[in-house]
Amino acid sequence: MDVTGRGLIVAIAAVALLGGATAYGAVAFAQSRALPADDTSTPMTSVEAGTIVFRQTGGGAKHGFVASVAVDDPAGPRAVSTTPCDRVDATTAGVVCLRADLGISTTFETLFLDGRLDEVDRRPLAGIPSRTRLSPDGRLAATTSFITGHAYAGTDFSTSTVIVEVGSAPEVADSGELELFPLRVDGALVTAADLNVWGVTFVDDRRFYATAASGDHRWLVEGDLVDRTLTALRDGVECPSLSPDGTRIAFKQNRAGAGQPDWALAVLDLRDGDVVVLPEPASVDDQAEWLDDDTLLYGRSRASAPGDTDVYEIAADATSGPGLLIEHAWSPAVVRS
């Protein structure tokens, strides 16, 4: 990839972001006060196995804060923390949180918390929060933000995706900028200046999957942090999520073709390449999360209530349709033992 060319793009984008960040902050501020919400929660003081961690929505004083419910009682009592986040992931080791600081001029940051929700690190985030994932042991964190644009529709956006070691020196983040990793498609090196990478899902502390895009292509890529490489596996796969048993990848695909995207959820079997499209009629612009090897979780916006969202579940083999799992929730993360 042409690093000089990308640097110029990022420099120009940084100027444009100043206006976009202000707009983002105004929208987020309005959404946080848009809806009433009953507060029957208890304080969240730690990350526990057997829970689902998520971003609370629904309005009220605790809109946007990290919360949790029990996996076996998702509609039951919830605990809410004192930490606001736009996007969250969690393991028993801790939490990664992408968020906006709505000051006079909006800035963005990544916050790292330990299992007791104490801050262990924070770093500037390049742009508007989009996706984040922790590796299974919680040692590595991947973050994606928008440098320009705010959605993956079309080609008029630019992302910054990095993988860092939680609590490491800042220079480690520089070596983990995935847009700088060489990408090969059918053995050929891709040198396009519009290359973007997002939606990391970890296999372990070395290997991962992600989406790499250039032009109209949305490749599922396999990445290697030691060799610093990206290898395309197939086209038409966005926001991958690896199943707990490592055999399948959930993803979104555009079923609308050109124009306004209509995101369908699908599951790719890595063993034979078969793809199953799931019976979710709504457009789902999210990186799905696996509840277990049979069930997916994802966020869905409420058309009648801007700023409010719910978490739904759906069978990964398409044998049943979507069902509401957690009201007033977004960005679910299943904490496994």
Side-chain angles (χ1 to χ4, degrees):
M1 179 179 179
D2 183 351
V3 178
T4 303
R6 178 171 178 79
L8 178 60
I9 292 172
V10 171
I12 296 171
V15 176
L17 182 63
L18 293 176
T22 302
Y24 173 89
V27 171
F29 183 85
Q31 287 178 342
S32 70
R33 288 153 177 77
L35 300 166
D38 295 330
D39 183 13
T40 59
S41 64
T42 59
M44 179 182 174
T45 58
S46 62
V47 182
E48 304 293 339
T51 62
I52 303 171
V53 173
F54 56 92
R55 178 182 191 261
Q56 167 131 326
T57 61
K62 295 184 178 178
H63 179 103
F65 286 79
V66 176
S68 68
V69 293
V71 167
D72 57 5
D73 189 16
R78 67 179 64 186
V80 182
S81 75
T82 58
T83 302
C85 286
D86 294 313
R87 196 84 195 188
V88 64
D89 195 28
T91 70
T92 53
V95 174
V96 57
C97 162
L98 308 188
R99 66 186 189 181
D101 182 6
L102 305 180
I104 296 176
S105 61
T106 301
T107 58
F108 308 100
E109 66 179 359
T110 303
L111 182 67
F112 299 99
L113 309 176
D114 63 17
R116 294 184 178 275
L117 302 185
D118 293 325
E119 181 179 331
V120 295
D121 193 12
R122 71 169 66 198
R123 298 179 183 182
L125 189 66
I128 296 172
S130 175
R131 309 283 188 235
T132 189
R133 279 290 191 269
L134 289 166
S135 60
D137 62 6
R139 189 174 74 86
L140 300 180
T143 67
T144 297
S145 58
F146 285 107
I147 300 296
T148 58
H150 62 277
Y152 295 105
T155 58
D156 55 344
F157 67 90
S158 178
T159 60
S160 173
T161 297
V162 298
I163 294 177
V164 302
E165 184 174 352
V166 177
S168 66
E171 56 265 22
V172 175
D174 298 334
S175 66
E177 187 176 352
L178 299 188
E179 282 85 0
L180 301 181
F181 280 28
L183 167 64
R184 292 191 177 274
V185 178
D186 296 328
L189 185 66
V190 175
T191 59
D194 68 342
L195 180 66
N196 288 293
V197 181
W198 69 88
V200 169
T201 182
F202 287 97
V203 178
D204 50 37
D205 286 343
R206 173 174 179 169
R207 296 174 299 147
F208 62 91
Y209 296 98
T211 297
S214 177
D216 295 329
H217 296 285
R218 301 289 188 271
W219 296 289
L220 171 66
V221 298
E222 184 172 8
D224 189 307
L225 289 171
V226 175
D227 295 338
R228 295 175 53 81
T229 57
L230 300 173
T231 303
L233 303 180
R234 64 186 295 150
D235 206 347
V237 175
E238 295 194 49
C239 294
S241 179
L242 184 65
S243 63
D245 64 8
T247 64
R248 287 152 297 152
I249 284 180
F251 65 98
K252 67 175 191 178
Q253 62 181 11
N254 188 4
R255 58 190 164 199
Q260 187 68 25
D262 181 16
W263 305 115
L265 287 175
V267 174
L268 165 68
D269 194 317
L270 294 171
R271 296 162 293 189
D272 56 21
D274 286 348
V275 172
V276 175
V277 179
L278 305 187
E280 167 56 273
S283 181
V284 178
D285 186 8
D286 196 12
Q287 184 174 15
E289 167 76 334
W290 291 81
L291 176 63
D292 50 39
D293 284 322
D294 303 313
T295 310
L296 290 169
L297 306 182
Y298 54 94
R300 218 170 79 177
S301 299
R302 292 190 179 192
S304 60
D308 199 6
T309 54
D310 301 300
V311 168
Y312 280 75
E313 64 177 337
I314 194 169
D317 62 0
T319 54
S320 62
L324 178 63
L325 187 73
I326 309 172
E327 287 190 300
H328 309 302
W330 177 252
S331 190
V334 178
V335 183
R336 311 181 197 283
S337 57

